[in-house]
């Protein structure tokens, strides 16, 4: 080495002239879909298409593997597998993402679909914590949250289920959010908007039912119906004989539910 190359100050000065780089290891070839890119296959779950202009150096490793040194901050195209479902008809998802250095041994799989893999069951040993019991919010809490509107700000000609379901959700009944087998229609804020859907949910939740309104029997979720097929839902505080909803129909058939 020349005296200049061994001079520490010169080496420090030279090291700051280039941008930092990130190593990628795997199998590589030209990207046939983009001639200006190289494909780098780390594993079946992690494939990158990297702009050749961002590759500063290439090293040959054992077994036809390579190490590509990529400029930090460069944008690479990453291809990852996904599970086919009605909302995602693709078998692979492409998205721009900053390059990520390999984690662990060369070519270690990078799994990005763990939400589709069932987790192992819980294992309990002596002294381990036990599952918490999730308390069901009282119906009185729903009454406190009722404000005759929806969190999303939208409104329809008929809002009985819409506004009541909003109060239920804000009171803690997040089970009404998707997915819920009882709910077939929602507003943009994901609130159920059909009284019959809420009725179905009431029936599934109930531990006590009644067909008549009686004073001082607590809070009830109520479905009312006559000739109007869609029906009507409302919340009743029978201790104070107050209702929460868009209307009360005393002349309708009454279906009351408690839990």
């Amino acid at each position: 080495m020349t005296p200049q190359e061994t001079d520490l100050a010169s080496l420090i000065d030279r090291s700051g002239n280039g941008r930092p780089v990130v190593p990628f290891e795997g199998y590589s070839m030209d990207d046939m879909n983009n001639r200006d890119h190289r494909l780098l296959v780390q594993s079946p779950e992690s494939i990158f298409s990297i702009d050749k202009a961002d590759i500063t150096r290439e090293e040959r490793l054992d077994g036809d593997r390579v190490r590509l040194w990529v400029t930090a901050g460069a944008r690479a195209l990453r291809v990852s597998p996904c599970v086919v479902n009605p909302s995602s008809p693709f078998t692979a998802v492409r998205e721009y993402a900053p390059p990520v250095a390999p984690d662990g041994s060369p070519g270690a799989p990078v799994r990005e679909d763990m939400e589709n893999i069932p987790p192992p069951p819980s294992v309990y040993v002596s002294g381990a914590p036990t599952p918490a019991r999730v308390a069901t919010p009282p119906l009185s809490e729903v009454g406190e949250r009722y404000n005759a509107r929806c969190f999303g700000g939208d409104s329809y000609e008929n809002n009985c289920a819409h506004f009541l379901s909003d109060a239920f959700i804000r009171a803690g009944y997040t089970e009404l959010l998707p997915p819920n087998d009882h709910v077939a229609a929602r507003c943009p804020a994901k609130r159920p908007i059909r009284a019959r859907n809420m009725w179905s949910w009431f029936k599934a939740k109930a531990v006590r039912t009644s067909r008549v309104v009686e004073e001082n029997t607590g809070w009830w979720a109520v479905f009312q119906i006559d000739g109007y097929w869609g029906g009507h839902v409302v919340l009743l505080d029978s201790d104070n004989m107050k209702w929460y909803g868009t209307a009360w129909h005393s002349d309708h058939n009454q279906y009351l539910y408690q839990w």
Side-chain angles (χ1 to χ4, degrees), residues 20-257:
V21 292
V22 177
F24 281 72
E25 294 184 10
Y27 298 94
S28 182
M29 62 177 288
D30 285 340
D31 189 338
M32 296 296 103
N33 295 312
N34 189 337
R35 296 290 183 175
D36 294 328
H37 281 223
R38 287 287 299 277
L39 285 178
L40 191 286
V41 180
Q42 289 184 338
S43 72
E45 291 83 11
S46 188
I47 303 171
F48 294 91
S49 178
I50 304 170
D51 193 324
K52 293 178 181 178
D54 294 319
I55 300 173
T56 63
R57 185 157 53 98
E58 177 177 337
E59 295 179 45
R60 293 291 172 179
L61 306 176
D62 294 337
D64 296 327
R65 294 175 59 82
V66 299
R67 179 183 293 122
L68 301 181
W69 294 86
V70 182
T71 302
R75 295 171 67 87
L77 192 65
R78 183 178 61 202
V79 182
S80 301
C82 70
V83 175
V84 177
N85 58 61
S87 63
S88 178
F90 302 101
T91 56
V93 176
R94 287 178 174 239
E95 61 179 3
Y96 274 108
V100 179
D103 183 16
S105 60
V110 179
R111 297 304 300 264
E112 298 179 356
D113 58 347
M114 295 305 294
E115 69 276 10
N116 298 307
I117 300 175
S122 298
V123 176
Y124 299 102
V125 297
S126 178
T130 57
R133 182 178 180 274
V134 180
T136 300
L139 291 176
S140 58
E141 189 78 14
V142 181
E144 292 181 12
R145 296 291 189 276
Y146 187 82
N147 57 11
R149 58 189 176 90
C150 173
F151 171 81
D154 52 323
S155 179
Y156 301 94
E157 290 297 321
N158 187 336
N159 289 291
C160 70
H162 187 192
F163 294 164
L164 189 61
S165 67
D166 176 81
F168 267 104
I169 290 170
R170 289 188 295 103
Y173 286 90
T174 54
E175 65 198 80
L176 280 172
L177 292 170
N180 186 300
D181 292 339
H182 299 279
V183 181
R186 298 180 180 275
C187 72
K190 308 302 182 184
R191 272 49 176 166
I193 57 175
R194 291 181 181 167
R196 280 185 172 268
N197 289 175
M198 293 296 289
W199 185 25
S200 175
W201 181 68
F202 290 168
K203 290 187 286 187
K205 294 283 293 180
V207 297
R208 189 178 302 104
T209 65
S210 178
R211 290 296 309 277
V212 295
V213 174
E214 296 183 77
E215 292 188 43
N216 300 313
T217 55
W219 287 75
W220 299 84
V222 183
F223 179 74
Q224 301 174 325
I225 190 168
D226 65 350
Y228 174 63
W229 182 86
H232 177 75
V233 286
V234 62
L235 192 67
L236 171 66
D237 172 11
S238 70
D239 296 338
N240 296 292
M241 291 303 287
K242 301 289 185 182
W243 54 266
Y244 298 79
T246 58
W248 178 269
H249 302 290
S250 297
D251 57 339
H252 286 20
N253 291 308
Q254 310 290 324
Y255 297 85
L256 288 74
Y257 303 91

